[in-house]
Amino acid sequence: MKDTTCRFVQEKLSSNEAEALEYVDRILVESHMETCDDCRDFARVSASLNRVAPGLAPAPLPPLVARRTILSALDGTMPERRAPRRLSYRFAVVGISAAVVALALVAAIFGAISQEEEEAPAKTARTGAPAKRAVDAPKGALTGSFIVPLEGAKPLELQENRVWGTADAQLSIEEKTESRARIRLKRGKIVAEVNSRDLNTQFVVLTPSAHIEVRGTIFTVVVDDDVERVRVIEGQVAVTDFASDGKHHLLSVNQELIIGQDEVFDARPEDLLVDLQLTGMQTNTDGVDQAEPGAQPTRVAREKPKVTPIGNASRALLRQAKNLRGKKRFIQAKQTYLRLMAEYPSSSAAANATVALAQMELGVLNDKTAALGHFEDYLKRFPSGVLADEAWIGRVRTLAQLSRHRSVIAASSAYLKERPQGAVAPEMTRRRGDAHVEQGKCQAALLDYERVMTNWPESKEAKRARTGTRVCKRQR
Amino acid sequence: MKRTDKTATSSSANSALDDVQLIGQCVRGDREAKERLARECLPLVRKLVYLGYGRRPDTEDVVQTVLVAVFRDLGELRNHGAFRAWMYRISYNVICSHGTRRSRLLKLFSHDPDIDERPSTHHLSPESSTYRTQFFDRLAQHLEKLKYKKRIAVTLSMFYGYVDAEIGEIMGCTSETAKKRVQHGRRELIKAVQRDPVCRKMMEEAAI
């Protein structure tokens, strides 16, 4: 049984089929309306509206306006109308407010910058322009330009890195993000231990005349009134010496550079010892007072367990990467190679890893550009290395795959000039011939193929050279 | 029986639009035919836009947009006999898109109904003072309180005499959905008229 409420009746009366209700519905509606005034009125209004509505229309447009509208419609254009005043007024108000806020922001930013510049009498290392002066750090903040109080054994921690300093050290942190830390040493001495294991991270120390970039190392920077020094306790440090026209130096373990003097020399052991004592890595019982000038520093706490495991650790990483490759987990293998290269950049394992990674990138990962970079990196760093031949031929193969035939010819010619009977000379010669063919120089290509077939007649390359010769002759 | 009287009324009123020949001439590029068709279309579109979109400062722009779209795409109309439904479909789409855009703007600029709902009067003619026109405006005001889809469904049903299936076709929905929209929309409109004594008086005078 249907519920004959007002709502039901009104819905029935509102429908398009109100005049053609089903028999049952009509009985229900009519019986309800007999007792309900509201629904009767509803039905009356509904009927009136149905009768009147079709004949209603908006006020017609004046003829001229209508004519303009029609012509514009036929031309496909909109007649120009004045924008609604209220809306445009609001747009104007919002626009002006936005402009005022923007101006205020710009003024605030410039004000802050100029205030910092006014307070900075020192000069930056790169440009010689006045640098930002250190201001007191807000409590708990680590970024920004402020003096960091360093008191010997209490290091300043920046991500994975630690910085120790003498009591008079004036240090400001210019930038500190997850991937980058830049600190400026204005005065005094700091010892920094950089433990970042990521190739993409950067740790930079700026002094008035130098830019020191490091990764995975321990080093010392001293800024006195008349001299600036950089000493390396562990790992390697790249120094850009602006006092010597921006000359670059790569300092290794126990080396020291005086900024402005274009010469790297061995650091005095007693200085290294003092640096280690500052960090707490060397106890004071073997302190500087007891150390004889010229004696070897006793870096027992840090050096002994560290130096020996480096070789083991790097080889272990290399083994791990090889295992991963064997299991076809190439991405993890690549990450391991990169980690090895980052952590032990000067180790032989890292050199091997460079070539291995490049070969993997060329073969499996199909990242030719990265492969080329790694091959070239190896050749640059170890031009006479054990894997130099591998790196040479890898480079040429990569260039050939990148269709850089002119570079193939240049690289193979350079190799053959240097090592005419080198291990990869047959392939190098054949590839040079192939590159000549690609460039349409069949005569030169035939000479190369001929050389391969004569000098290494039993090699695989001789077969390929014969094929190349046939192709060349067909083309001619 | 499905409201045949109203359908017949609207059909006769718009018989000129059903002239397939006229539309054929327009498609062939006859400028005069186009003007004639535009003259026929203009009041129909204006009525739908005024009821569906409401009487706002940019209502005439919406009418214009519909007409531009109609004449721009006329060549793509395959069934010339379905011209009206096709034109109302375009109107519906334009009204919906303008309505959405306008709602967003009003949300951004703290809508003041007393100002923004003020009807534009720059084009009013002496005829606008008639009861019928005033009643139309009054009804349009009540219709504006409904949601767009209901409003257009009620307009097509009550003012144009379309049945549910046709409304569904125009609005791109099923006839059941159209039926519900019409039913609910009409009920809300009638309730609003019931509560408005001025409107009731106008309705009675207009009926006479």
Side-chain angles (χ1 to χ4, degrees):
Chain A
M1 184 68 186
K2 290 178 181 173
D3 179 20
T4 49
T5 58
C6 291
R7 187 180 177 86
F8 169 77
V9 170
Q10 287 169 9
E11 274 184 8
K12 287 290 167 196
L13 292 172
S14 304
S15 106
N16 255 346
E17 296 134 4
E19 292 163 24
L21 288 175
E22 287 174 18
Y23 177 74
V24 179
D25 287 342
R26 202 171 65 231
I27 297 295
L28 287 171
V29 167
E30 282 173 0
S31 61
H32 176 80
M33 283 205 300
E34 279 175 12
T35 56
C36 180
D37 291 342
D38 189 39
C39 288
R40 255 202 315 276
D41 188 48
F42 185 92
R44 206 177 302 128
V45 172
S46 175
S48 297
L49 272 180
N50 285 344
R51 198 166 53 249
V52 174
L56 296 177
L61 282 174
L64 277 178
V65 178
R67 175 87 183 144
R68 192 185 63 178
T69 304
I70 288 167
L71 292 179
S72 300
L74 296 181
D75 294 339
T77 56
M78 296 289 289
E80 287 182 11
R81 293 181 199 283
R82 224 173 52 177
R85 193 193 296 170
R86 183 70 181 179
L87 207 57
S88 60
Y89 166 73
R90 286 181 182 178
F91 268 121
V93 168
V94 170
I96 290 166
S97 311
V100 168
V101 170
L103 277 173
L105 270 175
V106 168
I109 291 164
F110 274 102
I113 290 170
S114 60
Q115 192 182 352
E116 280 178 5
E117 282 176 351
E118 279 169 16
E119 290 170 354
K123 291 188 170 185
T124 58
R126 282 181 185 278
T127 60
K132 295 170 189 171
R133 200 179 77 183
V135 295
D136 288 338
K139 199 174 181 180
L142 266 178
T143 45
S145 188
F146 52 86
I147 290 175
V148 178
L150 294 168
E151 294 172 7
K154 287 181 185 172
L156 169 70
E157 300 211 351
L158 298 165
Q159 312 292 6
E160 301 167 24
N161 315 314
R162 292 187 292 174
V163 180
W164 292 265
T166 53
D168 64 332
Q170 286 188 4
L171 172 72
S172 61
I173 299 171
E174 295 207 331
E175 192 178 354
K176 179 181 161 284
T177 61
E178 280 189 8
S179 61
R180 182 184 284 200
R182 282 165 72 91
I183 56 179
R184 183 178 292 280
L185 179 64
K186 292 171 181 170
R187 190 178 175 77
K189 179 163 89 170
I190 59 163
V191 180
E193 184 190 20
V194 182
N195 293 314
S196 175
R197 290 167 190 276
D198 189 352
L199 269 176
N200 297 320
T201 59
Q202 195 184 36
F203 186 90
V204 176
V205 179
L206 299 166
T207 67
S209 310
H211 175 277
I212 303 141
E213 188 171 345
V214 288
R215 194 178 290 129
T217 183
I218 304 174
F219 69 105
T220 305
V221 184
V222 185
V223 177
D224 287 338
D225 285 338
D226 52 348
V227 71
E228 294 172 27
R229 297 166 187 271
V230 182
R231 270 194 297 276
V232 179
I233 299 169
E234 195 174 290
Q236 283 187 321
V237 172
V239 183
T240 308
D241 184 355
F242 294 108
S244 305
D245 300 328
K247 196 155 187 178
H248 297 284
H249 298 281
L250 190 65
L251 303 189
S252 298
V253 181
N254 295 352
Q255 286 189 326
E256 182 170 339
L257 172 74
I258 296 178
I259 304 298
Q261 296 179 12
D262 186 16
E263 189 184 354
V264 177
F265 54 90
D266 288 342
R268 292 196 308 165
E270 58 268 33
D271 292 336
L272 293 167
L273 187 63
V274 171
D275 296 344
L276 280 170
Q277 280 171 355
L278 185 65
T279 64
M281 293 174 193
Q282 175 59 282
T283 56
N284 219 6
T285 50
D286 308 322
V288 65
D289 294 336
Q290 294 169 16
E292 292 292 325
Q296 286 297 310
T298 51
R299 293 160 60 188
V300 285
R302 187 79 182 176
E303 191 181 36
K304 276 193 178 172
K306 191 89 180 179
V307 170
T308 316
I310 282 179
N312 290 341
S314 59
R315 280 196 291 275
L317 277 174
L318 194 60
R319 268 198 306 275
Q320 189 185 337
K322 279 180 184 169
N323 286 339
L324 288 167
R325 264 181 95 165
K327 290 173 186 169
K328 297 192 175 179
R329 290 160 64 183
F330 298 111
I331 302 296
Q332 286 98 324
K334 180 179 179 177
Q335 284 165 353
T336 313
Y337 280 132
L338 288 172
R339 187 181 152 197
L340 167 58
M341 288 153 64
E343 286 185 24
Y344 311 101
S346 52
S347 66
S348 61
N352 294 353
T354 310
V355 177
L357 174 60
Q359 286 175 339
M360 196 173 76
E361 283 169 338
L362 179 63
V364 188
L365 300 176
N366 198 23
D367 188 354
K368 299 181 188 73
T369 316
L372 187 63
H374 283 124
F375 281 130
E376 286 178 348
D377 183 37
Y378 181 89
L379 288 171
K380 198 174 170 185
R381 286 166 58 204
F382 312 99
S384 309
V386 184
L387 298 175
D389 278 341
E390 288 295 321
W392 270 110
I393 196 65
R395 183 174 173 233
V396 169
R397 284 172 188 159
T398 314
L399 288 168
Q401 287 196 19
L402 289 168
S403 303
R404 290 165 61 180
H405 304 299
R406 200 171 288 176
S407 302
V408 170
I409 293 168
S412 50
S413 299
Y415 176 84
L416 291 168
K417 189 178 175 187
E418 199 179 313
R419 305 178 189 190
Q421 295 299 319
V424 292
E427 187 179 348
M428 205 60 100
T429 314
R430 195 265 304 167
R431 283 193 177 272
R432 190 170 67 179
D434 290 349
H436 281 308
V437 173
E438 291 289 344
Q439 290 209 314
K441 298 173 185 171
C442 267
Q443 194 63 40
L446 282 172
L447 283 175
D448 278 334
Y449 291 144
E450 183 75 33
R451 201 170 294 143
V452 174
M453 287 185 289
T454 313
N455 294 344
W456 303 280
E458 301 300 317
S459 66
K460 283 182 185 174
E461 296 305 322
K463 276 186 183 175
R464 289 175 182 152
R466 273 191 281 278
T467 312
T469 308
R470 277 200 296 276
V471 171
C472 265
K473 284 180 179 169
R474 209 174 298 145
Q475 279 186 7
R476 291 173 77 188
Chain B
M1 194 72 178
K2 290 190 177 185
R3 298 166 62 88
T4 44
D5 52 339
K6 284 176 73 177
T7 313
T9 312
S10 65
S11 297
S12 60
N14 301 303
S15 57
L17 287 177
D18 294 330
D19 190 348
V20 178
Q21 274 189 343
L22 178 64
I23 294 163
Q25 286 170 358
C26 293
V27 171
R28 283 193 292 274
D30 186 340
R31 178 83 182 182
E32 275 184 28
K34 277 186 181 177
E35 275 193 44
R36 210 161 71 240
L37 186 63
R39 269 198 301 276
E40 301 281 354
C41 290
L42 183 60
L44 294 171
V45 172
R46 279 187 77 233
K47 186 169 158 181
L48 181 59
V49 171
Y50 267 75
L51 291 170
Y53 185 70
R55 193 162 180 175
R56 306 180 197 283
D58 58 341
T59 304
E60 289 299 332
D61 286 345
V62 178
V63 174
Q64 187 70 37
T65 308
V66 173
L67 286 177
V68 168
V70 164
F71 283 95
R72 184 191 59 212
D73 300 336
L74 192 59
E76 293 168 18
L77 176 66
R78 293 189 184 275
N79 181 8
H80 293 176
F83 173 77
R84 268 185 303 155
W86 176 75
M87 182 176 72
Y88 293 142
R89 178 74 191 255
I90 289 175
S91 310
Y92 168 70
N93 289 337
V94 172
I95 287 168
C96 283
S97 64
H98 270 254
T100 315
R101 202 182 310 152
R102 187 174 180 279
S103 307
R104 282 190 203 135
L105 277 174
L106 290 178
K107 272 182 196 165
L108 275 176
F109 297 100
S110 64
H111 174 47
D112 181 355
D114 289 337
I115 293 162
D116 282 334
E117 302 296 329
R118 188 174 52 197
S120 67
T121 52
H122 69 276
H123 64 266
L124 281 185
S125 63
E127 292 89 336
S128 64
S129 59
T130 63
Y131 270 121
R132 293 177 86 85
T133 314
Q134 283 178 13
F135 180 46
F136 178 87
D137 288 342
R138 197 85 183 178
L139 273 184
Q141 278 177 17
H142 287 305
L143 269 172
E144 275 183 41
K145 291 168 193 162
L146 309 187
K147 289 183 179 174
Y148 272 112
K149 289 178 181 176
K150 277 189 207 170
R151 192 190 303 173
I152 292 168
V154 170
T155 304
L156 289 171
S157 153
M158 198 179 263
F159 292 80
Y160 289 84
Y162 279 110
V163 295
D164 296 337
E166 289 171 320
I167 295 169
E169 219 169 276
I170 290 171
M171 296 182 73
C173 61
T174 62
S175 60
E176 280 303 308
T177 310
K179 183 181 174 179
K180 283 287 168 199
R181 285 178 186 164
V182 170
Q183 217 171 28
H184 293 167
R186 280 169 71 110
R187 185 165 164 268
E188 285 175 40
L189 178 67
I190 293 165
K191 283 272 181 195
V193 172
Q194 266 185 302
R195 287 192 295 269
D196 183 0
V198 180
C199 189
R200 290 192 70 154
K201 192 183 171 196
M202 283 179 172
M203 186 173 67
E204 281 158 17
E205 288 178 9
I208 296 164

